[in-house]
Amino acid sequence: AQSVTQLDSHVSVSEGTPVLLRCNYSSSYSPSLFWYVQHPNKGLQLLLKYTSAATLVKGINGFEAEFKKSETSFHLTKPSAHMSDAAEYFCVVSDPADYKLSFGAGTTVTVRA
Amino acid sequence: DAGVIQSPRHEVTEMGQEVTLRCKPISGHNSLFWYRQTMMRGLELLIYFNNNVPIDDSGMPEDRFSAKMPNASFSTLKIQPSEPRDSAVYFCASSSRNIQYFGAGTRLSVL
């Protein structure tokens, strides 16, 4: 079985400051891990993915995430937040041999001017 | 590629009416998923197709829900009859190499 815990339901940052969204996972396998972003009234957009290659994964829009097996974590970071980063972010885990995704509860990011 | 295309984007209907949601997956993707998103339950997988064949429909809430995939480029999710508790955003996703790409969703309101 696999599961995801997003440690913060809401994160508020000032524009230009770093963003950190925390995610811990549980998986019986070597997992695939993803971060998706959902802007208001939009679908889920893939930000980045980890599939057992490099542990530091770079995604779109300046986001990156680091896979730490010893800590079972996959935290998402961005050095400098932009107003357009205000959205909901989902950490997702899957078994590479399976089709099912396990979604975290989501973290809502607010960016203050 | 235009991505996964869903229609309509918004649907408002009255209780008891039939609702049909449509999805066009990304060309070349052999897997298709229907999800429902609500505030209370988050994202739930309703049904999964592989090569146009339903593989897992255990998430379909009840017999009022049905889904078809007559060919590789089209799928429908039908609710008949609809109820107010079906109000949600319904997403379609298609995948290649275990990476799922989502459509913009259909926001369904059943009055």
Side-chain angles (χ1 to χ4, degrees):
Chain A
Q2 55 203 22
S3 65
V4 174
T5 302
Q6 291 184 241
L7 299 169
D8 306 290
S9 59
H10 186 253
V11 168
S12 181
V13 298
S14 296
E15 191 174 22
T17 64
V19 181
L20 169 64
L21 305 184
R22 298 180 295 165
C23 172
N24 287 109
Y25 70 91
S26 171
S27 175
S28 304
Y29 313 96
S30 296
S32 292
L33 292 156
F34 310 86
W35 278 98
Y36 285 85
V37 61
Q38 185 178 25
H39 288 92
N41 301 313
K42 302 287 187 184
L44 279 76
Q45 180 185 17
L46 180 66
L47 273 179
L48 50 79
K49 61 185 184 292
Y50 166 79
T51 53
S52 77
T55 56
L56 183 62
V57 182
K58 293 188 182 299
I60 62 172
N61 302 334
F63 285 94
E64 63 180 36
E66 185 171 9
F67 173 71
K68 292 187 176 180
K69 186 175 181 179
S70 61
E71 299 177 10
T72 60
S73 69
F74 190 57
H75 301 335
L76 180 71
T77 60
K78 182 172 180 177
S80 175
H82 190 271
M83 296 298 288
S84 61
D85 295 327
E88 187 157 20
Y89 292 77
F90 293 94
C91 182
V92 181
V93 64
S94 78
D95 168 11
D98 193 5
Y99 57 88
K100 288 190 175 180
L101 301 182
S102 294
F103 289 84
T107 298
T108 300
V109 172
T110 302
V111 182
R112 305 184 301 271
Chain B
D1 199 313
V4 176
I5 299 173
Q6 292 187 245
S7 64
R9 290 295 315 277
H10 302 275
E11 177 80 36
V12 180
T13 190
E14 293 187 347
M15 182 174 62
Q17 297 297 306
E18 177 179 299
V19 175
T20 300
L21 312 181
R22 297 172 177 80
C23 175
K24 176 179 168 56
I26 294 171
S27 177
H29 285 189
N30 60 357
S31 296
L32 184 139
F33 307 81
W34 283 99
Y35 290 88
R36 178 171 66 178
Q37 185 181 38
T38 61
M39 290 289 291
M40 291 293 293
R41 301 166 75 102
L43 274 155
E44 303 172 277
L45 176 64
L46 299 178
I47 188 168
Y48 157 58
F49 291 88
N50 186 251
N51 292 324
N52 312 339
V53 176
I55 302 299
D56 181 0
D57 66 355
S58 59
M60 297 286 263
E62 49 198 274
D63 291 346
R64 297 185 297 106
F65 286 69
S66 63
K68 295 182 179 179
M69 192 165 185
N71 57 61
S73 59
F74 183 66
S75 176
T76 59
L77 177 68
K78 184 179 294 186
I79 308 172
Q80 163 68 14
S82 58
E83 296 183 2
R85 60 192 168 119
D86 301 331
S87 297
V89 182
Y90 291 81
F91 288 104
C92 176
S94 67
S95 80
S96 174
R97 299 178 184 178
N98 289 331
I99 299 172
Q100 293 189 24
Y101 298 88
F102 287 76
T106 295
R107 183 174 296 276
L108 174 64
S109 298
V110 183
L111 307 177

